Amino acid sequence: MSKMQTLVEKPKEQLKRNKLVIICSKGSLDMAYPPLMLATTAAAMGMQVDLYFTFWGMNMITKKTIDSLKIPPVGNPALPMPNILGMLPGMSSMVTSMMKKNMKKIKMPSIREMIATAKEGGVKFHACSPSMNMMGLQKEDLIPEVDDIIGAATYLELASEDAITLFI
Amino acid sequence: MSKMQTLVEKPKEQLKRNKLVIICSKGSLDMAYPPLMLATTAAAMGMQVDLYFTFWGMNMITKKTIDSLKIPPVGNPALPMPNILGMLPGMSSMVTSMMKKNMKKIKMPSIREMIATAKEGGVKFHACSPSMNMMGLQKEDLIPEVDDIIGAATYLELASEDAITLFI
Amino acid sequence: MSKMQTLVEKPKEQLKRNKLVIICSKGSLDMAYPPLMLATTAAAMGMQVDLYFTFWGMNMITKKTIDSLKIPPVGNPALPMPNILGMLPGMSSMVTSMMKKNMKKIKMPSIREMIATAKEGGVKFHACSPSMNMMGLQKEDLIPEVDDIIGAATYLELASEDAITLFI
C-alpha cells in the first residue's frame, strides 16, 4: 500500500470524468500489473473503478492460477534473449522469477496484494460469463474478491457512463 | 445468433454514450473474439459500432486468412504447456483445434458467423489503408463485409464523437 | 512527413473531443507504429495528444533500445511460419528486417522519424515513473524528446479530460 500511495502525486478533488472501466484480457504477469496499478491509483483518487476480466485475464481471478502468472520469454522481443533460449523448459519461470525479484527490490506489491488494495479502495471485480463457459469455470473456482459474473452487455452499460475505457 | 442473444442480459433503452469504436490489431483467434463479441452485443443494444482493422487485425477481414486464425501456443503463458512443446510444428494447430472444439461445445459461433451477425446488426467494417499498403493487399483480397478503406484521420473522427474506444 | 500528410484525408475544424491519450505498453516494432501513427495524425488534425510510455513501451523512448525494436516471429500466429522455425536464433531479426524493407518500400518513416514528426506536431511524451524504477532507468537513459516522468495519477487526470483513450 505504501507503494500505491507514492503513485498518487496530486490527488484531485474533481475530475471531469470520474469513472474507469478496464477490460483485463491477458493472463501474463507483465500485463496483470497495468490494470491493477491504474485501478488502485484511480480508486485512491476517488474514482469509480470497474475491472472486467475476460479470456486469459480470467487467470488473474482464478484460484488455481492467480499465484503462478508468468512472463512469456519467447515472442517478447523486449527481453534480451535469443528465441531458442527462451524455448528451454523452465526458462519462462526463470524470467518470471527475475522480474519478481526486481519487483520485490523496488517494493512492488504482488498481484494478490494489489487485488486486496484495489478491493479495499472499492474497485469492482467482474468475471465474464462467456469466458467462464468457455474455460469450464464455476463461481467457486474464482477468488472471493470477484463481485459478480456479467456479460458484454453489462460491461457496455458501465463503459457508456462516460468512463475512461481501456482494453488491456 | 442464439448465443449472442443470451449475452444481452438487460437491453437498455437509453445509454449515455451509444457509440463503440474498436481498433482490431491482432491476427490471432483468441483476440479476434473479443471485438466481435463486444460489437455484436453493442449492436443488439442499439449502439452504433465501428470496427477499424489494422496491422495483424487485417487477417480477420482478409479472404485468405479469415478461416485459419490460430492461437499462439508459445509466448502465451496462460496455456499450461512448457515452451519447448509449444515449439513443435503443428502444436499451434493442435491448441487451436482444442479451443475450436471447446467453443463448438458451448455453441460459440465461428468468426465468420460472428462477422455475419455483426453485419446484420449494422456494425461497420473499416480496413486501414496504410496497413493494406504495408501488406500489399487490394480491395478484392478483403471479405465483402468490409464497408470501406479509411485512414487514421477518419478513425479519429469516429472516435471523437463521444464513443467508447478500445484498442484490441 | 509526406506519408503522414496522406493519412489526413479530411482535416476537421471542430471535433467533439479533441484530446487523445494513449498508453504505450509494448516493446515490439509492430506495436510501436500504431500509437505513433495515431499520434501524428491526431496532432496534424489539431488534437492535443499525450503518450504515456510504460512497461515494455519504455523501449520506444530508451536510447539503447529505440533503434532495435523487433517483431516477435514466434507466438505471432499472423506470420506464415511454423513455430519451430521462429525459434532459430536470428529469425526475429530476419522477420524484422523483412518488415523494415517493406516499410521502406512504401516510404513508411522509421520510429525515430515518427517520434520527431510527433514532437514537431506538439505531441507530449511522458515516461512512467514506476516502470523506470522497475527497469532501473534514469532520466539520461531516455531520448531527449521525453517531456517528463509521471505516474498513473497524472495519466488518469489527462485521460479524465474527455480524451479518446487507448491502451496499446
Side-chain angles (χ1 to χ4, degrees):
Chain A
M1 268 217 54
S2 63
K3 186 70 199 172
M4 279 312 90
Q5 277 155 3
T6 69
L7 292 179
V8 184
E9 293 117 23
K10 25 178 176 166
K12 262 272 180 80
E13 266 103 71
Q14 206 152 356
L15 293 164
K16 220 175 155 189
R17 291 197 286 181
N18 66 348
K19 284 177 190 175
L20 174 65
V21 181
I22 305 180
I23 299 183
C24 307
S25 75
K26 303 293 185 298
S28 60
L29 185 61
D30 49 345
M31 285 301 120
Y33 272 102
L36 289 172
M37 289 179 70
L38 290 166
T40 48
T41 307
M45 291 165 78
M47 296 177 77
Q48 182 187 315
V49 187
D50 291 276
L51 301 180
Y52 180 55
F53 295 86
T54 188
F55 273 80
W56 315 120
M58 295 299 296
N59 285 14
M60 291 172 65
I61 52 165
T62 299
K63 285 176 192 166
K64 259 196 192 166
T65 46
I66 181 175
D67 294 315
S68 52
L69 301 180
K70 285 194 180 48
I71 300 176
V74 177
N76 186 343
L79 288 173
M81 191 190 297
N83 278 324
I84 192 76
L85 278 184
M87 272 312 85
L88 300 175
M91 195 51 86
S92 179
S93 340
M94 206 189 87
V95 172
T96 306
S97 78
M98 267 170 54
M99 180 173 166
K100 280 191 176 165
K101 212 176 281 179
N102 263 359
M103 289 190 149
K104 216 168 210 170
K105 213 165 62 186
I106 63 161
K107 296 198 179 69
M108 183 74 88
S110 72
I111 293 299
R112 265 196 196 270
E113 286 165 339
M114 295 198 78
I115 286 179
T117 305
K119 194 71 189 174
E120 275 168 42
V123 173
K124 294 270 176 285
F125 287 73
H126 310 283
C128 164
S129 50
S131 295
M132 293 190 65
N133 273 347
M134 199 179 72
M135 300 181 171
L137 291 171
Q138 307 298 324
K139 197 180 189 315
E140 56 268 25
D141 297 322
L142 306 181
I143 57 172
E145 284 86 352
V146 174
D147 290 282
D148 50 20
I149 299 167
I150 66 174
T154 308
Y155 158 78
L156 287 164
E157 285 176 25
L158 291 168
S160 80
E161 286 170 12
D162 207 19
I164 298 171
T165 53
L166 299 170
F167 184 98
I168 297 185
Chain B
M1 267 217 56
S2 64
K3 187 72 199 171
M4 281 311 90
Q5 278 156 358
T6 69
L7 292 179
V8 184
E9 294 118 21
K10 25 178 178 170
K12 261 273 181 77
E13 268 101 73
Q14 205 153 356
L15 292 165
K16 221 177 154 187
R17 295 197 284 181
N18 66 348
K19 285 177 189 175
L20 173 65
V21 181
I22 305 181
I23 301 183
C24 307
S25 74
K26 302 294 186 297
S28 60
L29 185 62
D30 49 346
M31 285 300 121
Y33 273 103
L36 290 171
M37 288 179 71
L38 289 166
T40 47
T41 307
M45 290 164 77
M47 297 177 76
Q48 181 187 315
V49 186
D50 291 276
L51 301 181
Y52 179 54
F53 295 86
T54 187
F55 273 79
W56 315 120
M58 295 299 295
N59 286 13
M60 290 172 65
I61 52 165
T62 300
K63 285 176 192 164
K64 259 195 193 167
T65 46
I66 181 176
D67 293 317
S68 51
L69 301 180
K70 283 192 179 52
I71 300 177
V74 176
N76 187 343
L79 288 172
M81 191 190 294
N83 279 323
I84 192 75
L85 278 183
M87 274 311 88
L88 301 175
M91 196 50 86
S92 180
S93 340
M94 206 189 88
V95 172
T96 306
S97 78
M98 266 169 53
M99 181 172 165
K100 280 190 177 165
K101 209 174 284 178
N102 263 358
M103 289 188 150
K104 215 165 211 170
K105 212 166 61 185
I106 63 161
K107 295 197 181 69
M108 182 75 89
S110 73
I111 293 298
R112 267 198 195 271
E113 285 165 338
M114 294 198 78
I115 287 179
T117 305
K119 195 71 188 174
E120 274 168 43
V123 173
K124 295 269 175 285
F125 287 73
H126 310 283
C128 164
S129 50
S131 295
M132 293 190 65
N133 274 346
M134 198 179 73
M135 300 182 173
L137 291 171
Q138 308 297 322
K139 197 181 188 321
E140 56 268 26
D141 298 322
L142 306 181
I143 57 172
E145 283 87 352
V146 174
D147 290 281
D148 50 19
I149 298 167
I150 66 173
T154 308
Y155 158 77
L156 287 164
E157 285 175 27
L158 291 168
S160 80
E161 285 170 13
D162 206 20
I164 298 171
T165 53
L166 299 170
F167 183 99
I168 297 185
Chain C
M1 266 217 53
S2 64
K3 187 70 199 169
M4 280 311 91
Q5 277 155 3
T6 68
L7 292 179
V8 184
E9 293 118 22
K10 23 176 179 168
K12 261 274 180 79
E13 268 102 72
Q14 205 154 355
L15 292 165
K16 220 175 154 189
R17 293 196 287 181
N18 67 347
K19 286 179 189 172
L20 174 65
V21 181
I22 305 180
I23 300 183
C24 307
S25 74
K26 302 295 186 299
S28 60
L29 185 61
D30 50 345
M31 285 300 120
Y33 272 102
L36 290 170
M37 290 178 71
L38 289 167
T40 48
T41 308
M45 289 165 78
M47 296 177 78
Q48 181 188 315
V49 187
D50 291 276
L51 301 180
Y52 179 55
F53 296 87
T54 188
F55 272 79
W56 314 119
M58 295 299 297
N59 286 14
M60 291 172 65
I61 53 165
T62 300
K63 286 176 191 164
K64 260 195 192 166
T65 46
I66 182 175
D67 294 316
S68 51
L69 301 180
K70 285 192 179 53
I71 299 176
V74 177
N76 187 342
L79 288 171
M81 190 189 295
N83 279 323
I84 192 77
L85 278 183
M87 273 314 85
L88 301 175
M91 194 51 84
S92 179
S93 340
M94 205 189 89
V95 172
T96 306
S97 79
M98 267 169 55
M99 180 171 166
K100 281 190 175 164
K101 210 175 283 177
N102 263 358
M103 288 189 150
K104 215 168 211 166
K105 212 167 62 187
I106 62 161
K107 294 195 180 70
M108 182 75 88
S110 72
I111 294 297
R112 265 197 196 273
E113 286 165 339
M114 294 198 78
I115 286 178
T117 306
K119 193 73 189 174
E120 275 168 41
V123 174
K124 294 270 175 287
F125 286 72
H126 310 285
C128 165
S129 49
S131 294
M132 294 190 65
N133 273 346
M134 199 179 71
M135 299 182 172
L137 291 171
Q138 307 297 323
K139 197 180 187 325
E140 57 268 23
D141 297 323
L142 306 181
I143 58 172
E145 283 85 353
V146 174
D147 290 281
D148 51 18
I149 299 167
I150 66 172
T154 309
Y155 157 77
L156 287 164
E157 284 174 27
L158 292 168
S160 79
E161 286 168 13
D162 207 19
I164 297 171
T165 53
L166 300 170
F167 183 99
I168 297 185

